[in-house]
Amino acid sequence: MNLFVRNFIQKYQRVLRKSKPENLLKLLSAIEYTEAILEITAEKLFGKVFKWLIVFVTQLTKCIIKLQLLIFHKTGIQPTPSLFNFGSLIESKKNGQSDQKGEGFFVLKHSGRTVRTIKNSPVSLEKRDWSVPTMENSMTKTENQNTHFDPSSDKMRFLAELIYILRPICHITSMLIFKPKSWIQYAVAFSMDSTSLFLMNGTNKLSKEQKEELRRRTIALLYYLIRSPFYEFYSSSLIKLILALIEQNIIGTKFLIKYIKEYIPYWQSIYNYCWTA
């Protein structure tokens, strides 16, 4: 039995290593775009029990894919790519090495003179640098722009990303053990989100995409103001007061404010709208 389990684990690890990260990112993006639709459809057709089964399966699938990207492919912080511009993301990854060889200039074959390309020259003459471009300057610029932290070397950020990936599974488990509107499940999710951001220790030595993802996660903490049970006990009255003041003082916002008031409870009832934002 132990031999069978070992052989199965070894074969599964080989499959994980052979799978391309681009395909995993495509699958992750497809799940991100369809998970809310699957949840709503499951609840309407089969009831709440099947709805929570679909929610758990989708979150578990996303967790496995993200862990695979983090551990086997060393992707670090994982911003979810859009399906519409995914081609450009793949091209940028494939051309990353060629970009580091000297984007913005080329070397003449016969004279060996380094010449800057017109495309990468500033339009304004005042901003132009008339010094001869070098390979070292170009390398340092591209390295600063395309820095990705290595999960195997940066243990703190690896732990931070691991906490963020496991947060949905821990939150759903706490909702099943306790009540869906209990303070315990709320505290579990909020503590894991805040701890993950704290362990990331800022945006130093990160790529542009990773910095944007960290900003998105930081802004997403504001959603906890509208999540149960904090919304019912504290922020509900304040939000309704602010919406009422906007409706009274700004002409033409009555329909929009009415729509927002009706949408908040509906938004709270859908897990993949509320807790995976």
Side-chain angles (χ1 to χ4, degrees):
M1 186 66 183
N2 292 332
L3 182 61
F4 173 77
V5 172
R6 289 177 183 176
N7 291 333
F8 176 78
I9 293 174
Q10 290 177 357
K11 289 181 180 179
Y12 185 68
Q13 287 178 347
R14 291 173 186 172
V15 173
L16 290 178
R17 290 191 180 96
K18 289 181 180 179
S19 58
K20 295 182 179 180
E22 290 84 2
N23 296 333
L24 294 174
L25 287 170
K26 285 181 181 179
L27 179 59
L28 184 62
S29 298
I31 295 174
E32 290 278 353
Y33 277 98
T34 58
E35 59 184 356
I37 299 173
L38 292 174
E39 179 185 346
I40 297 170
T41 305
E43 184 178 11
K44 288 187 176 180
L45 294 179
F46 304 103
K48 289 187 177 181
V49 176
F50 195 78
K51 164 199 167 180
W52 286 110
L53 177 63
I54 292 296
V55 170
F56 184 80
V57 170
T58 53
Q59 295 302 323
L60 181 62
T61 305
K62 287 169 58 178
C63 180
I64 293 172
I65 295 173
K66 289 181 178 181
L67 287 175
Q68 182 177 346
L69 289 168
L70 180 66
I71 296 172
F72 292 99
H73 299 289
K74 312 296 182 183
T75 54
I77 299 174
Q78 301 168 16
T80 304
S82 173
L83 289 174
F84 302 101
N85 61 353
F86 197 82
S88 60
L89 290 174
I90 295 176
E91 288 297 326
S92 63
K93 289 183 179 180
K94 289 182 179 179
N95 297 330
Q97 296 179 352
S98 62
D99 290 342
Q100 291 181 355
K101 292 181 180 179
E103 183 183 4
F105 67 92
F106 61 93
V107 181
L108 298 177
K109 293 182 180 180
H110 298 286
S111 63
R113 185 181 179 87
T114 305
V115 181
R116 182 180 286 108
T117 60
I118 298 175
K119 180 180 178 181
N120 292 276
S121 300
V123 179
S124 177
L125 293 175
E126 297 177 355
K127 296 181 179 179
R128 289 194 179 186
D129 182 10
W130 299 101
S131 62
V132 179
T134 60
M135 180 72 75
E136 294 180 357
N137 293 336
S138 180
M139 287 285 289
T140 53
K141 288 181 181 179
T142 53
E143 286 177 359
N144 290 334
Q145 292 176 355
N146 300 316
T147 304
H148 291 260
F149 83 88
D150 186 4
S152 60
S153 60
D154 198 334
K155 301 297 182 182
M156 293 297 291
R157 282 180 170 170
F158 173 81
L159 179 61
E161 189 66 16
L162 185 64
I163 291 172
Y164 182 80
I165 292 172
L166 295 176
R167 189 261 299 166
I169 299 297
C170 296
H171 178 245
I172 293 175
T173 305
S174 63
M175 289 181 68
L176 295 175
I177 297 174
F178 309 98
K179 293 181 180 180
K181 292 188 177 182
S182 67
W183 282 103
I184 297 177
Q185 54 87 23
Y186 184 91
V188 167
F190 181 75
S191 61
M192 293 185 76
D193 271 334
S194 56
T195 303
S196 175
L197 289 172
F198 176 76
L199 292 177
M200 280 296 175
N201 194 20
T203 58
N204 295 328
K205 297 182 180 180
L206 295 178
S207 64
K208 181 180 178 181
E209 292 80 9
Q210 291 177 341
K211 289 179 181 179
E212 290 177 354
E213 175 63 17
L214 281 185
R215 292 190 194 99
R216 187 198 67 81
R217 293 181 186 181
T218 304
I219 295 172
L221 292 177
L222 295 175
Y223 283 119
Y224 281 91
L225 297 174
I226 319 177
R227 290 168 178 167
S228 299
F230 189 88
Y231 177 75
E232 286 80 4
F233 282 91
Y234 298 103
S235 59
S236 175
S237 57
L238 179 61
I239 291 174
K240 289 180 179 178
L241 177 61
I242 294 173
L243 292 176
L245 291 174
I246 294 174
E247 184 179 359
Q248 293 175 3
N249 297 317
I250 302 177
I251 302 173
T253 59
K254 184 176 181 180
F255 176 78
L256 179 62
I257 298 300
K258 180 182 178 182
Y259 177 78
I260 293 174
K261 290 179 180 178
E262 294 176 353
Y263 179 72
I264 289 177
Y266 179 75
W267 181 81
Q268 287 182 314
S269 65
I270 302 173
Y271 183 86
N272 286 303
Y273 278 169
C274 182
W275 291 101
T276 59

